[in-house]
Amino acid sequence: MADSDLDSLYDTSLKARMIRFARRVINTRYLFIALILHVVALAIFGGKVIFEAVAAKGLFESEGEIFVAGPPGGGPPPPPPPPPSGEQSLDIKVQKPTRIVTQISTPKVSTEFNLPPPQLPTIMNPALEVKVDEGARERLAKAEAARWGQMRSFHEAGVEGGGGKRGATGSKRTTQAKFKCYVVQYHGGDWDSNFGVTDGTRWYGNCIYNLMLQIGRWTQGRVKADLIPQALALGDSEWLEKVKPPFVFMTGHKDFRLTDKEVENLRQYLMLGGALWVDNSLPGRRSRFDLALRREMKKVLPDRDFEPIAPSHPLFSSYFQFTAPPPGMNFYDEPVEVVKIGGEVAVVYTLNAYSDLWETGLTDKDAIDLGFDWSVKNNQRYYRSGPHFNRGGYQRGIFFRNNTQEGVVRAYQFGINITIYLLTRFQDKFMTLPRGAG
């Protein structure tokens, strides 16, 4: 900078100050020019519409008309102002959401019976409508009826009722049924633990033989089973097609493990409509047999569990009237447990060793039979009172309690209740279906 310029900074006269101001303005010419341009642009375009807003169609979620609050004094809202001349008005339309109709197909009918109606999915949005196939209910009803017909045909195949009719006839004290009772022969364990001995004409100490003999007496022959107990090999599939028993009996007091084939056959038998009656010969919960049975039944029916039944269940009044299960061997009084398929009993499990008490025979007067028979063939004496009744109940270091006349009779009475129930458990449902269905 020249010395004359420096000198002028110290000049405080009005002229010098004006000169310095003019120089500053000139030095800020770019700001000055930009300001001038903005003023000119504002003057030219201030009254013009640069762009028009356009609403996206269909994005409003509200239904119906849109209302705007009126003036504080009430009354209708003022009309909208007219659009400026020469300009196009913007017409905003509100689109209502489209109702959605959902078609729900009917699920495939399960192999189980007595299924509840299919549950439709819950629709949370009330704006949605669900259309159900009108014929779905009818198809399900027909499928269920056909399923019941197939089960009835299987269930009745091995039973002859009054007048030679297929299946048990009558109910409770009027029940008529002729059938064969089969004892399950399974792998391992001691499936024949309460089978006793035979001289070829009669069984001694055989639980099923004595039970069926007593049932025949009490019903005056209306309910009659083949008194020669039939052992049924669970691993053989032929019995499913040819024998078709209404129920099978199973007992034991040792640990056991079913083979894969036995598991498969038992599952198929239960699904077809058969029933399994299990009596624990080693009474009580968590015995060797009890643990084995629960473990193996989980293989047969993995999604099913044992559940106790109340005294209001038909089993407790099917012949004699019970308010609770009677005490079994050694006064065990565990509840009766069942496994259900489709809401119906498929497995009955008694934990109180009633089969041990049935080894003791009764006379036609319902007294313990203390007599014996001499077998010429075997050159041996056989007692009808069985192996557990030994004039005081003490045998080989084991004390058997409740093996009295009252205890044995009550066990037999409960045995006939279970037998009648298993023979007639489908009757109420069968009455609504034509004979021979399925």
Side-chain angles (χ1 to χ4, degrees):
M1 180 179 296
D3 293 339
S4 59
D5 292 335
L6 292 174
D7 294 339
S8 64
L9 292 175
Y10 299 98
D11 190 352
T12 58
S13 63
L14 178 62
K15 180 178 179 181
R17 290 199 301 271
M18 291 298 296
I19 293 173
R20 287 197 296 273
F21 175 77
R23 288 178 178 174
R24 292 191 184 97
V25 171
I26 293 173
N27 291 335
T28 58
R29 59 184 178 275
Y30 295 111
L31 175 64
F32 180 75
I33 294 172
L35 179 63
I36 295 300
L37 290 177
H38 278 77
V39 172
V40 173
L42 181 64
I44 297 175
F45 299 104
K48 298 294 182 179
V49 176
I50 305 301
F51 65 90
E52 295 181 354
V54 180
K57 186 177 181 181
L59 296 181
F60 293 90
E61 298 298 333
S62 302
E63 280 196 60
E65 300 178 358
I66 298 178
F67 295 94
V68 180
S85 59
E87 296 183 10
Q88 184 177 1
S89 64
L90 180 62
D91 185 13
I92 301 178
K93 295 183 180 180
V94 178
Q95 182 181 10
K96 296 183 179 180
T98 304
R99 290 183 177 269
I100 302 174
V101 178
T102 304
Q103 180 75 30
I104 300 179
S105 60
T106 305
K108 185 178 180 181
V109 179
S110 170
T111 55
E112 292 192 7
F113 54 94
N114 197 27
L115 293 173
Q119 298 296 319
L120 299 179
T122 302
I123 305 300
M124 301 304 296
N125 191 336
L128 301 180
E129 294 180 354
V130 178
K131 182 178 180 181
V132 181
D133 187 351
E134 298 297 335
R137 303 293 185 187
E138 182 178 355
R139 290 196 299 272
L140 285 174
K142 289 181 178 179
E144 183 179 1
R147 178 62 176 154
W148 279 112
Q150 292 172 357
M151 295 184 63
R152 180 177 68 186
S153 179
F154 183 90
H155 176 81
E156 294 181 337
V159 183
E160 180 183 326
K165 294 182 179 179
R166 190 181 69 174
T169 56
S171 62
K172 296 187 176 182
R173 297 282 178 130
T174 65
T175 301
Q176 297 186 54
K178 183 179 180 181
F179 64 102
K180 288 184 178 181
C181 188
Y182 291 86
V183 178
V184 173
Q185 179 180 351
Y186 54 90
H187 180 74
D190 54 346
W191 63 272
D192 57 350
S193 61
N194 292 329
F195 239 47
V197 294
T198 180
D199 64 351
T201 59
R202 177 185 176 126
W203 285 86
Y204 298 90
N206 186 292
C207 62
I208 289 299
Y209 178 92
N210 287 341
L211 175 61
M212 296 305 156
L213 181 64
Q214 193 62 29
I215 289 176
R217 288 173 178 169
W218 280 337
T219 62
Q220 288 80 46
R222 291 189 301 272
V223 178
K224 184 178 181 181
D226 192 330
L227 294 181
I228 305 299
Q230 303 284 328
L232 185 147
L234 191 57
D236 187 356
S237 302
E238 187 177 3
W239 65 276
L240 288 171
E241 302 175 359
K242 296 183 178 180
V243 179
K244 299 180 181 179
F247 69 89
V248 293
F249 183 79
M250 179 179 178
T251 187
H253 66 274
K254 292 183 179 180
D255 186 16
F256 67 93
R257 294 183 183 275
L258 301 178
T259 66
D260 293 342
K261 190 61 177 177
E262 288 173 336
V263 169
E264 178 185 347
N265 287 346
L266 184 55
R267 180 190 301 119
Q268 184 177 355
Y269 171 67
L270 296 177
M271 294 300 296
L272 286 172
L276 174 67
W277 176 7
V278 185
D279 184 76
N280 184 356
S281 184
L282 187 64
R285 214 169 285 272
R286 299 195 64 78
S287 65
R288 294 189 303 270
F289 182 85
D290 178 74
L291 294 174
L293 177 69
R294 296 180 190 277
R295 181 192 64 231
E296 297 306 301
M297 285 305 300
K298 270 298 183 181
K299 299 177 183 177
V300 177
L301 300 171
D303 59 342
R304 299 290 185 271
D305 293 308
F306 283 98
E307 57 184 274
I309 57 174
S312 59
H313 192 276
L315 182 149
F316 289 88
S317 58
S318 60
Y319 198 88
F320 293 100
Q321 187 68 44
F322 283 88
T323 58
M329 183 64 80
N330 291 345
F331 294 99
Y332 275 88
D333 60 351
E334 295 288 345
V336 177
E337 297 187 14
V338 300
V339 177
K340 295 181 179 180
I341 299 178
E344 295 298 324
V345 172
V347 180
V348 175
Y349 180 30
T350 50
L351 294 81
N352 299 328
Y354 298 124
S355 57
D356 288 351
L357 296 178
W358 299 334
E359 289 182 295
T360 298
L362 297 178
T363 67
D364 55 1
K365 303 298 183 181
D366 295 345
I368 291 179
D369 193 342
L370 299 176
F372 65 89
D373 296 309
W374 180 263
S375 173
V376 176
K377 177 181 178 181
N378 298 332
N379 193 30
Q380 186 174 350
R381 178 183 296 178
Y382 294 109
Y383 287 94
R384 303 186 194 117
S385 57
H388 296 321
F389 187 87
N390 192 21
R391 296 167 180 79
Y394 186 83
Q395 180 185 14
R396 294 191 302 274
I398 302 175
F399 189 73
F400 297 99
R401 295 174 296 170
N402 200 34
N403 197 10
T404 62
Q405 179 171 331
E406 181 182 0
V408 171
V409 169
R410 292 293 283 172
Y412 273 114
Q413 290 176 342
F414 202 56
I416 188 175
N417 271 40
I418 298 176
T419 301
I420 297 297
Y421 170 74
L422 292 177
L423 290 173
T424 61
R425 64 194 175 106
F426 290 149
Q427 279 189 344
D428 291 343
K429 296 176 176 56
F430 291 170
M431 289 173 63
T432 62
L433 299 173
R435 288 278 174 176

